[in-house]
Amino acid sequence: MYLWVKAFHIISMVCWFAGIFYLPRLFVYHAETTDREGSERFKIMERKLYRGIMMPSMILTLIFGFWLIHLIPGYMQQGWMHAKLTLVVLLIGYHHMCGAFMKKFANDNNTRSHKFYRVFNEIPVFILLGIIILVVVKPF
Protein backbone atom coordinates (compact mmCIF):
# COMPACT_ATOMS: atom_id res chain seq x y z
CA MET A 1 0.00 0.00 0.00
CA TYR A 2 2.80 2.41 0.94
CA LEU A 3 4.40 2.32 -2.52
CA TRP A 4 1.06 2.97 -4.27
CA VAL A 5 0.34 5.95 -2.04
CA LYS A 6 3.88 7.24 -2.58
CA ALA A 7 3.54 6.87 -6.37
CA PHE A 8 0.26 8.80 -6.41
CA HIS A 9 1.77 11.45 -4.12
CA ILE A 10 4.62 11.97 -6.59
CA ILE A 11 2.28 11.98 -9.62
CA SER A 12 -0.04 14.58 -8.09
CA MET A 13 2.95 16.66 -6.94
CA VAL A 14 4.37 16.70 -10.48
CA CYS A 15 0.99 17.83 -11.85
CA TRP A 16 0.75 20.53 -9.18
CA PHE A 17 4.23 21.84 -9.96
CA ALA A 18 3.48 21.83 -13.69
CA GLY A 19 0.70 24.31 -12.96
CA ILE A 20 2.76 26.22 -10.39
CA PHE A 21 5.46 26.74 -13.02
CA TYR A 22 3.11 27.56 -15.90
CA LEU A 23 0.55 29.92 -14.34
CA PRO A 24 3.05 32.70 -13.48
CA ARG A 25 4.45 32.33 -17.01
CA LEU A 26 0.93 33.03 -18.28
CA PHE A 27 0.89 36.08 -15.99
CA VAL A 28 4.07 37.32 -17.71
CA TYR A 29 2.42 37.11 -21.12
CA HIS A 30 -0.89 38.46 -19.83
CA ALA A 31 0.83 41.50 -18.29
CA GLU A 32 2.44 42.19 -21.67
CA THR A 33 -0.83 41.85 -23.60
CA THR A 34 -2.35 45.06 -24.90
CA ASP A 35 -5.40 43.82 -26.81
CA ARG A 36 -8.75 42.88 -25.24
CA GLU A 37 -9.10 39.58 -27.12
CA GLY A 38 -5.69 38.38 -25.95
CA SER A 39 -6.43 39.40 -22.39
CA GLU A 40 -9.72 37.48 -22.40
CA ARG A 41 -7.97 34.40 -23.77
CA PHE A 42 -5.39 34.54 -20.96
CA LYS A 43 -8.15 34.88 -18.36
CA ILE A 44 -9.72 31.64 -19.58
CA MET A 45 -6.40 29.80 -19.70
CA GLU A 46 -5.43 31.00 -16.21
CA ARG A 47 -8.79 30.06 -14.69
CA LYS A 48 -8.81 26.58 -16.25
CA LEU A 49 -5.23 25.90 -15.19
CA TYR A 50 -5.78 27.08 -11.62
CA ARG A 51 -9.15 25.46 -10.99
CA GLY A 52 -8.88 22.43 -13.26
CA ILE A 53 -5.29 21.32 -12.68
CA MET A 54 -3.57 23.17 -9.86
CA MET A 55 -6.29 23.03 -7.21
CA PRO A 56 -7.14 19.31 -7.64
CA SER A 57 -3.44 18.42 -7.85
CA MET A 58 -2.65 20.36 -4.68
CA ILE A 59 -5.50 18.67 -2.80
CA LEU A 60 -4.43 15.20 -3.98
CA THR A 61 -0.78 15.92 -3.14
CA LEU A 62 -1.78 16.88 0.39
CA ILE A 63 -4.11 13.88 0.81
CA PHE A 64 -1.47 11.40 -0.34
CA GLY A 65 1.22 13.18 1.69
CA PHE A 66 -0.76 13.00 4.92
CA TRP A 67 -1.65 9.40 4.10
CA LEU A 68 2.09 8.63 3.84
CA ILE A 69 2.68 10.26 7.22
CA HIS A 70 -0.15 8.15 8.63
CA LEU A 71 1.40 4.98 7.18
CA ILE A 72 4.89 5.85 8.53
CA PRO A 73 4.30 7.96 11.67
CA GLY A 74 8.04 7.88 12.44
CA TYR A 75 8.52 10.48 9.69
CA MET A 76 7.20 13.13 12.07
CA GLN A 77 10.13 12.54 14.44
CA GLN A 78 12.64 13.45 11.73
CA GLY A 79 13.88 17.00 11.25
CA TRP A 80 13.93 16.81 7.46
CA MET A 81 10.17 16.16 7.47
CA HIS A 82 9.52 19.28 9.54
CA ALA A 83 11.62 21.32 7.10
CA LYS A 84 9.82 19.74 4.14
CA LEU A 85 6.41 20.51 5.62
CA THR A 86 7.51 24.10 6.18
CA LEU A 87 8.35 24.34 2.48
CA VAL A 88 5.00 22.75 1.62
CA VAL A 89 3.22 25.42 3.68
CA LEU A 90 5.18 28.10 1.78
CA LEU A 91 4.19 26.44 -1.50
CA ILE A 92 0.52 26.45 -0.49
CA GLY A 93 0.88 30.16 0.23
CA TYR A 94 2.46 30.67 -3.19
CA HIS A 95 -0.38 28.71 -4.77
CA HIS A 96 -2.94 31.02 -3.14
CA MET A 97 -0.95 34.10 -4.17
CA CYS A 98 -1.26 32.82 -7.74
CA GLY A 99 -5.01 32.60 -7.20
CA ALA A 100 -5.10 36.18 -5.93
CA PHE A 101 -3.12 37.41 -8.94
CA MET A 102 -5.42 35.44 -11.24
CA LYS A 103 -8.45 37.22 -9.73
CA LYS A 104 -6.78 40.61 -10.24
CA PHE A 105 -6.23 39.79 -13.91
CA ALA A 106 -9.82 38.50 -14.20
CA ASN A 107 -11.11 41.84 -12.85
CA ASP A 108 -8.68 43.85 -15.00
CA ASN A 109 -7.00 45.12 -11.83
CA ASN A 110 -3.44 43.88 -12.35
CA THR A 111 -0.90 46.48 -11.26
CA ARG A 112 2.25 44.35 -11.61
CA SER A 113 4.63 44.35 -14.57
CA HIS A 114 5.74 41.36 -16.61
CA LYS A 115 9.15 41.76 -14.94
CA PHE A 116 7.59 41.18 -11.51
CA TYR A 117 5.97 37.95 -12.73
CA ARG A 118 9.26 36.78 -14.28
CA VAL A 119 10.88 36.98 -10.84
CA PHE A 120 7.79 35.62 -9.07
CA ASN A 121 7.93 32.61 -11.42
CA GLU A 122 11.33 31.56 -10.01
CA ILE A 123 10.23 31.15 -6.37
CA PRO A 124 8.78 27.62 -6.69
CA VAL A 125 12.03 26.40 -8.28
CA PHE A 126 13.82 26.99 -4.98
CA ILE A 127 11.01 25.39 -2.99
CA LEU A 128 11.11 22.30 -5.24
CA LEU A 129 14.90 22.04 -4.92
CA GLY A 130 14.62 22.22 -1.14
CA ILE A 131 11.88 19.59 -0.96
CA ILE A 132 13.69 17.15 -3.26
CA ILE A 133 17.00 17.52 -1.38
CA LEU A 134 15.30 17.08 1.98
CA VAL A 135 13.39 13.97 0.89
CA VAL A 136 16.28 12.28 -0.92
CA VAL A 137 19.28 13.28 1.20
CA LYS A 138 17.49 13.55 4.58
CA PRO A 139 20.29 15.79 5.93
CA PHE A 140 18.92 15.86 9.50
Side-chain angles (χ1 to χ4, degrees), residues 43-60:
K43 290 176 188 180
I44 292 167
M45 293 169 66
E46 291 159 0
R47 186 184 74 246
K48 287 184 177 185
L49 178 61
Y50 187 80
R51 293 186 183 152
I53 295 173
M54 289 172 61
M55 191 62 78
S57 297
M58 178 189 69
I59 292 167
L60 288 172

Side-chain angles (χ1 to χ4, degrees), residues 13-116:
M13 183 270 306
V14 168
C15 293
W16 186 21
F17 265 99
I20 288 279
F21 288 144
Y22 190 52
L23 185 61
R25 178 54 48 185
L26 288 176
F27 294 159
V28 169
Y29 301 138
H30 196 163
E32 292 177 322
T33 300
T34 56
D35 64 296
R36 187 82 182 141
E37 184 178 308
S39 180
E40 292 303 316
R41 186 178 313 115
F42 280 116
K43 290 176 188 180
I44 292 167
M45 293 169 66
E46 291 159 0
R47 186 184 74 246
K48 287 184 177 185
L49 178 61
Y50 187 80
R51 293 186 183 152
I53 295 173
M54 289 172 61
M55 191 62 78
S57 297
M58 178 189 69
I59 292 167
L60 288 172
T61 300
L62 295 174
I63 288 170
F64 290 123
F66 287 121
W67 194 351
L68 287 170
I69 290 171
H70 175 73
L71 290 173
I72 312 285
Y75 277 168
M76 288 310 296
Q77 272 88 41
Q78 299 177 27
W80 66 267
M81 179 57 79
H82 292 265
K84 176 195 172 190
L85 291 176
T86 300
L87 291 175
V88 170
V89 168
L90 291 174
L91 188 63
I92 292 168
Y94 182 90
H95 174 103
H96 289 291
M97 285 179 68
C98 285
F101 288 137
M102 181 192 67
K103 288 177 185 172
K104 284 187 181 255
F105 275 113
N107 295 323
D108 296 319
N109 289 331
N110 176 54
T111 57
R112 309 278 184 165
S113 72
H114 66 95
K115 292 178 183 178
F116 169 83

Side-chain angles (χ1 to χ4, degrees), residues 4-18:
W4 282 102
V5 175
K6 186 176 184 179
F8 285 117
H9 178 63
I10 293 168
I11 291 166
S12 58
M13 183 270 306
V14 168
C15 293
W16 186 21
F17 265 99

